[in-house]
């Protein structure tokens, strides 16, 4: 039996095209999920797929990076499939056939490239975040208190008012008052 596996990395992405492609390729059952590919830990649908396989089944994906983003995960998955007596096919990479020596070699090479690409993406994201921080972009939750309120809180606290009293007056928690009193 041919099983399809469709995956996108985030909830804002859509795997409909992958599912349609897998159906057209003759997959009788398709497992799909919205989960990052960097780890197998939280991929519940993939776990269900692996538990349902029997010898002779084939797992099909539209692209190799839908299955794994690290060469270690890719090798582990392919090893598990081989142990189960199952094959693997990637529709986007015509050379991808786990039953041939050349196919296994090419999978090793392409898995390394996918991992390299993920590293480049991570580096670009980190650089973008660093640039945004240098430009003054603030990440995280919006501040509950503006600069004027923080200044008044610091003055009043210095004169002896308690954090609890200030928190009640400013309709926030004592932790917010405490953070407002910390140096910037």
């Amino acid at each position: 039996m041919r099983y399809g596996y469709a995956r996108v990395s985030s909830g804002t992405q859509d795997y409909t095209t992958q599912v349609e492609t897998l159906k057209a390729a003759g997959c009788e059952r398709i497992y799909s999920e919205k989960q990052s590919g960097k780890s197998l830990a939280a991929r519940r649908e993939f776990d269900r797929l692996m538990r349902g396989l029997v010898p002779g089944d084939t797992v099909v994906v539209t692209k190799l990076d839908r299955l794994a983003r690290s060469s270690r995960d890719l090798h582990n998955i392919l090893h598990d499939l081989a142990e189960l007596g199952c094959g693997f096919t990637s529709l986007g990479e015509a050379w991808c056939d786990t039953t041939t020596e050349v196919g296994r070699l090419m999978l090793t090479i392409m898995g390394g490239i996918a991992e390299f690409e993920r590293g480049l993406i991570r580096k670009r994201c980190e650089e973008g975040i660093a640039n945004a921080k240098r430009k003054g972009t603030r990440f995280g939750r919006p501040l509950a208190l503006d600069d004027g309120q923080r200044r008044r809180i610091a003055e009043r606290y210095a004169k002896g008012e308690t954090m609890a009293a200030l928190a009640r007056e400013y309709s926030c928690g004592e932790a917010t008052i405490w953070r407002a009193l910390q140096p910037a």
Side-chain angles (χ1 to χ4, degrees):
M1 186 165 170
R2 287 171 66 91
Y3 289 97
Y5 178 67
R7 182 190 62 76
V8 292
S9 297
S10 72
T12 59
Q13 295 174 318
D14 185 30
Y15 48 67
T16 305
T17 304
Q18 290 179 52
V19 171
E20 291 170 359
T21 303
L22 292 167
K23 284 180 183 175
C27 294
E28 300 169 48
R29 173 107 162 78
I30 298 170
Y31 294 83
S32 54
E33 61 191 337
K34 295 183 177 188
Q35 189 65 42
S36 173
K38 68 180 178 181
S39 167
L40 290 172
R43 291 167 56 184
R44 291 188 196 113
E45 288 299 305
F46 183 73
D47 287 342
R48 287 182 55 212
L49 165 64
M50 292 299 285
R51 284 193 308 269
L53 294 173
V54 296
D57 287 342
T58 301
V59 175
V60 182
V61 296
T62 57
K63 287 179 57 184
L64 186 58
D65 67 354
R66 299 300 85 203
L67 183 68
R69 292 288 251 168
S70 77
S71 57
R72 177 182 295 262
D73 282 347
L74 178 63
H75 287 289
N76 288 342
I77 291 167
L78 294 178
H79 175 77
D80 291 347
L81 288 172
E83 290 286 312
L84 292 169
C86 297
F88 171 72
T89 302
S90 173
L91 300 174
E93 293 84 15
W95 47 263
C96 186
D97 179 358
T98 61
T99 62
T100 69
E101 294 296 324
V102 171
R104 285 190 291 275
L105 170 66
M106 292 303 293
L107 279 166
T108 300
I109 293 167
M110 294 310 289
I113 290 171
E115 187 172 354
F116 175 71
E117 178 186 18
R118 177 162 164 61
L120 291 177
I121 291 168
R122 185 176 49 245
K123 184 178 179 184
R124 284 193 303 267
C125 286
E126 289 169 357
E127 289 170 353
I129 290 168
N131 285 338
K133 285 181 179 180
R134 277 194 297 277
K135 291 178 183 177
T137 302
R138 186 184 178 284
F139 292 85
R141 255 177 94 168
L143 295 174
L145 304 167
D146 63 34
D147 289 339
Q149 290 172 317
R150 292 173 61 145
R151 191 173 46 257
R152 285 189 296 278
I153 287 169
E155 292 167 357
R156 291 173 63 181
Y157 184 74
K159 291 180 182 175
E161 288 192 53
T162 66
M163 282 194 261
L166 291 165
R168 278 191 302 276
E169 185 172 331
Y170 284 91
S171 301
C172 62
E174 286 185 52
T176 301
I177 298 298
W178 182 84
R179 281 190 298 274
L181 295 170
Q182 301 310 303

